[in-house]
Amino acid sequence: GAGVSQSPSNKVTEKGKDVELRCDPISGHTALYWYRQSLGQGLEFLIYFQGNSAPDKSGLPSDRFSAERTGGSVSTLTIQRTQQEDSAVYLCASSYRIAGGDTQYFGPGTRLTVL
Amino acid sequence: AQRVTQPEKLLSVFKGAPVELKCNYSYSGSPELFWYVQYSRQRLQLLLRHISRESIKGFTADLNKGETSFHLKKPFAQEEDSAMYYCALSGQGSNYQLIWGAGTKLIIKP
């Protein structure tokens, strides 16, 4: 079946603009995760969803970041008033359950560049 | 505190040489350990997990609870092994997401 998809694949924006990143998880996966991968850095966990709810938002870097998931499927990550330090690859992953032992399947990522 | 440490940001070895990517963890219970890999221009994907005791692409990893380690090993490196490798931990049986290491970039020199 289809894997995790993300759009856009690349986004270039000007500092101060808002951006919206989209993730389509694998059908039937109840758990969805957002990560950030900065150049030369590892994975930074941002937020996860179990169904439509996000029990822990403490990983979001600032209040400019928000995420939602509707219908237990598609999720959007919104960054308001983007800053240059927001430039990174944003990865989405999904798994069948939120149990950590479940394999996470990753999307191709959205490369965000803030000028 | 729960933590995964990959002490090497970069590891460079010659083709045919043995490879060992180190991973140490801190966890109070019985963890599940994983290695994920990201090849150039490909998605991050699961390489292996300790409970399955598999050898994938010639790689093995043994969970050493005494040393709290889960090092990834391969006896003879190949050029196609060049990639970014992440070690991750999950609380066994818990409703929990993964705790990730910072990753090690492996470069296999010809």
Side-chain angles (χ1 to χ4, degrees):
Chain A
V4 177
S5 61
Q6 292 184 246
S7 61
S9 55
N10 277 286
K11 177 71 178 179
V12 180
T13 190
E14 293 179 348
K15 178 181 172 181
K17 301 276 190 182
D18 296 353
V19 295
E20 196 171 273
L21 312 180
R22 177 188 166 106
C23 172
D24 273 284
I26 291 172
S27 177
H29 280 192
T30 62
L32 185 147
Y33 313 80
W34 281 100
Y35 296 92
R36 182 165 70 174
Q37 190 176 36
S38 302
L39 189 63
Q41 304 295 316
L43 283 176
E44 178 185 2
F45 170 77
L46 299 179
I47 192 169
Y48 78 94
F49 288 89
Q50 173 61 32
N52 290 336
S53 74
D56 181 5
K57 300 181 181 179
S58 61
L60 295 175
S62 76
D63 58 8
R64 297 185 294 103
F65 287 72
S66 63
E68 65 175 17
R69 188 180 185 195
T70 55
S73 182
V74 171
S75 176
T76 54
L77 177 69
T78 301
I79 309 173
Q80 296 178 308
R81 305 181 302 281
T82 52
Q83 303 294 312
Q84 288 182 334
E85 61 262 28
D86 299 335
S87 296
V89 175
Y90 289 81
L91 294 175
C92 174
S94 71
S95 64
Y96 183 63
R97 304 167 301 165
I98 191 60
D102 275 17
T103 300
Q104 293 190 18
Y105 295 87
F106 283 81
T110 293
R111 183 176 296 277
L112 175 65
T113 303
V114 182
L115 301 176
Chain B
Q2 299 166 1
R3 186 183 300 121
V4 175
T5 303
Q6 293 180 251
E8 303 138 329
K9 290 190 86 169
L10 176 66
L11 181 63
S12 180
V13 301
F14 283 103
K15 176 183 171 182
V19 173
E20 182 179 57
L21 291 94
K22 291 184 168 52
C23 173
N24 290 90
Y25 66 89
S26 173
Y27 187 76
S28 57
S30 293
E32 292 189 58
L33 274 295
F34 308 83
W35 278 99
Y36 279 75
V37 61
Q38 188 171 26
Y39 300 102
S40 179
R41 300 188 190 87
Q42 294 188 29
R43 302 180 185 207
L44 189 60
Q45 60 187 293
L46 178 68
L47 178 63
L48 57 79
R49 55 205 301 163
H50 88 270
I51 57 172
S52 60
R53 294 187 169 274
E54 293 175 297
S55 173
I56 306 293
K57 299 186 179 183
F59 283 98
T60 59
D62 290 320
L63 179 60
N64 186 323
K65 292 186 178 181
E67 295 182 359
T68 59
S69 68
F70 188 56
H71 302 329
L72 184 67
K73 300 177 183 179
K74 184 169 182 175
F76 307 103
Q78 299 172 299
E79 288 186 66
E80 55 264 34
D81 296 329
S82 294
M84 190 75 177
Y85 292 81
Y86 292 94
C87 182
L89 172 156
S90 168
Q92 197 167 41
S94 72
N95 186 22
Y96 223 93
Q97 74 272 27
L98 291 174
I99 299 167
W100 294 83
T104 297
K105 184 171 185 177
L106 176 64
I107 296 174
I108 307 301
K109 296 178 287 189

